[in-house]
Amino acid sequence: MSNLLALPFKKTYHIDVKTAAANYIANDIGSHPDEFKDDVKEWQQLRDEGTGGVVHENKTQAGLLYHAQLVSILAKLPSDIHLEIPYATVFNATGHPVSLNSLVFERACVLFNLAALYSQLANSEDRSTPDGIKRATANFQFAAGALSYLKSSVLPKLVVPHDEDYPVDLTEGFIVGMELLMLSQAQECSWQLARLNQYKNSLVAKIAARTSELYGSAYEALTQASPSVKSVFPSDWLPHIQVKSLHFIAVSQFRKSLDEIESGNNYGIELARLGIAQEHVKRAFDIARRGKVSTPVLQDTQSFMEIVEKAVVRAQRDNDLIYHQDVPAASSLPQIQGTNLARTTVPPGLLRPEETLGSKRPMFYELVGWGAREAINIYKHRKEDLINSRIVGVSRELQDSADEQLRKLNLPASLEALERPIGLPPSLLRKAEEVRLENGPEKIEASLEDVEMLSGRDSAILDETLDILDTEASEDEATRKEYPINRPPSHEANSELTDKAHRYRQILTQARESDEVVRQKWYEWEEHIRQLTEDEASRPPSTTLLSLPATLDQLIPTTTHSASSSATPESKNTRRLAQVLRNRLEHLDALHRDIALLVRRAKSLAERDDAQPRVMKAAAGFEKLAELDPAMFEDILDEELAKYDRYLVDIAEYAKRVEEALSQIKSENDAFIKSRKEDPAVKERERALQQLDAAYFKYKEIGRNLDEGNKFYNDLAGILMQFREVCKAWSNQRNQELHSLTKKFQNMSVSSPDSEKPAPRSSAPTVAAELPEEPPSPRYPGNVPTRKPPLPKSSLGRLPALTSDEWEFEEMTLPPPPKKNLNKRK
């Protein structure tokens, strides 16, 4: 049995690499999985051989090869490909494993097991020969190097969703402590070789002093780590490390005492150093005995303690009888400077994975690296966002703002009422034609019926869900009358579900109120909207797009001016101001046309624009197995997006010009209104034109409201159907539990009626399901539909958090997942 420690393997289990890799390649990359079936097969084989479990020198190459291929895989695929990877915590192979959807976690555990393999190979060496000691030293140094590489190169990339789920044996405190322990044991092997080769006592003392320092650093790192780290170790590990540190302090002082005699007959100093050695070795022996460390360590300590005690007795006697030298205080003695012989040695196969692969082809070599793919996707999203929000969105805002201000100024209706005393203006003709071609009134009435039908469907789903809960409650209540069941009644157990159902009911009620507002709006404006489409069937075949049915023409009063009234200075001034105002409006229309042209040009550029060639060229410049991160391509993305800067500058300039034009229109309109005479005919015609113009905008507004309502009810239907399934599963679970309890009572009644006892109280089953995204808020039939901010997420899936103000519930807890039947690792 060895007097050194070896790091055990982290036990893993079989995982379905094939399915996860095939699904990711097909769904996220868009390639056919069969193109990479050989890579996936090799991946599975390498994992079975390279994740530890067998102590053999050849297995180090298997671990290095699997790690090198993982580097290649992570250069092509992201860490999360929806592959759940389980590893047990070290020292607890039978405990519940930690499972993460992370290839970085797999890589970290492979490195951990590689370090464990090196330590076990070192511990299995025969250290009675120089060659055995040298091999043990090298393997302990490789173990320390693998842990150092794990700490510096892999753990910073390991992302765990929740801190409490972070594997305790991969925390920095644990890894640093184990790295120092491996170095300590490599240094101890070097000390053993120095002693075997009969080096000078002064050098052996220095090597022992450094050994003690390393063991002390390892012990300090582990004892200062979190309680969860210290709790991982077997009970004898920390005492073992502490004993080793004290033991080698004693060894260094003992060897230095021999050097004092050899170098200068310093008998007093010899006795002082022997006293220090005796103090530390006694303490080491007491800790070893109380900590129940391994027998070899305890025997080493006891044997050395006896040697030191004999040396103290001999030195004390000689000094008292012969030398009579003063014994200096321990604090006055020069400190023994340690000589370090152990080095952290990272296995070359980790630093240069391409050399480990040799002639082997890196896995998924044909795939574009995920970092490059992600950078291309990021560019597409940024480009789309720039076009939609900063160009198209700004142009729409400019148009909407201008239309709103013109409506407030009653333009162009007031101007056209004066300019066209008879007939209708072209702008109104175009709007009427649009409503007529869309068959507007019938379209709105059909949408109203659709929304009402969808609302009824959602209510029916919710009613069915509540019926499920009511049925379960009735069965529970009926059974309680017959048997003394000791479990939470239904009204307590299903409180979270019923609260959520009531909230859904409130949402539906609010939505129906909104529907009614939209319906009333339609009733209010229906007549005016229908006026835009009257007598379409009576139009002659030769009617042009801008011609108008006589009926609509007759709805608009006409005005005429006598020659005398038109010749007055006031009339001439009004006509002049009207012409100026008309010019301003035409200038505004020209600005909007220019903006629309700019938007079309920007969209056309975006359709042709592709950053993939530049990104791929840059990606080819990195090392073959380099793990590409999207951040590496930021400069390229910024340069590519810069081509849209001129459009952003132009749209900003157009925004200023539109604002100036609207300000001028408002000023000219004020002067125009002031100059107009109070002509009742003009006023009446102006009101009629304005009313038809407003009817068109109300038609568009009602259409938007109904489209929003249709989407709302369809989205909510999906959520309610999944909520129904949750309630059904919960009710089935409660019914199964109820059946089990009643069966027990019946069995007890048949076997021994007098021995009936209430069944132990069982906790109410909780409900968990992967629900769809949060239901949209009930739409608001205002003039401009508004979008509410996204609601916070819940542990139930993607529904709003139950604690949010929007839902007003407490959060529901998830039940424990079913235990997995994990296959044993090969």
Side-chain angles (χ1 to χ4, degrees), residues 108 112 144 147-158 160 163 166-181 217-218 220-226 228-230 232-233:
F112 186 100
L147 291 169
S148 175
Y149 183 81
L150 166 63
K151 176 188 66 179
S152 61
S153 301
V154 180
L155 292 186
K157 302 175 184 177
L158 179 58
V160 178
D163 291 341
Y166 202 95
V168 66
D169 50 9
L170 293 180
T171 56
E172 184 175 357
F174 187 97
I175 298 300
V176 169
M178 289 299 95
E179 178 188 352
L180 289 170
L181 175 60
S217 297
E220 183 179 3
L222 294 175
T223 53
Q224 290 183 355
S226 64
S228 60
V229 169
K230 290 184 284 187
V232 169
F233 292 99

Side-chain angles (χ1 to χ4, degrees), residues 460-524:
I461 296 172
L462 186 55
D463 291 340
E464 183 181 347
T465 303
L466 289 173
D467 288 343
I468 292 171
L469 297 179
D470 290 342
T471 301
E472 187 280 328
S474 300
E475 293 177 358
D476 180 76
E477 184 177 356
T479 306
R480 287 177 184 278
K481 294 178 180 179
E482 187 174 354
Y483 299 104
I485 295 175
N486 190 11
R487 70 167 186 172
S490 295
H491 71 273
E492 293 179 3
N494 68 6
S495 59
E496 293 180 353
L497 293 174
T498 54
D499 285 347
K500 182 172 284 297
H502 292 156
R503 179 54 180 158
Y504 286 145
R505 182 70 71 191
Q506 292 174 7
I507 291 174
L508 282 170
T509 301
Q510 294 170 5
R512 280 194 291 269
E513 291 174 357
S514 298
D515 296 341
E516 186 58 28
V517 172
V518 175
R519 188 177 296 275
Q520 291 300 322
K521 191 187 299 183
W522 164 242
Y523 291 156
E524 179 182 351

Side-chain angles (χ1 to χ4, degrees), residues 612-645:
Q612 181 169 341
R614 283 198 64 186
V615 172
M616 296 303 299
K617 183 178 179 181
F622 291 102
E623 294 183 10
K624 183 168 61 175
L625 297 184
E627 187 175 339
L628 302 182
D629 188 273
M632 298 178 178
F633 304 95
E634 278 295 328
D635 292 343
I636 294 175
L637 303 190
D638 291 341
E639 291 173 6
E640 288 294 309
L641 285 175
K643 64 171 67 82
Y644 296 95
D645 288 348

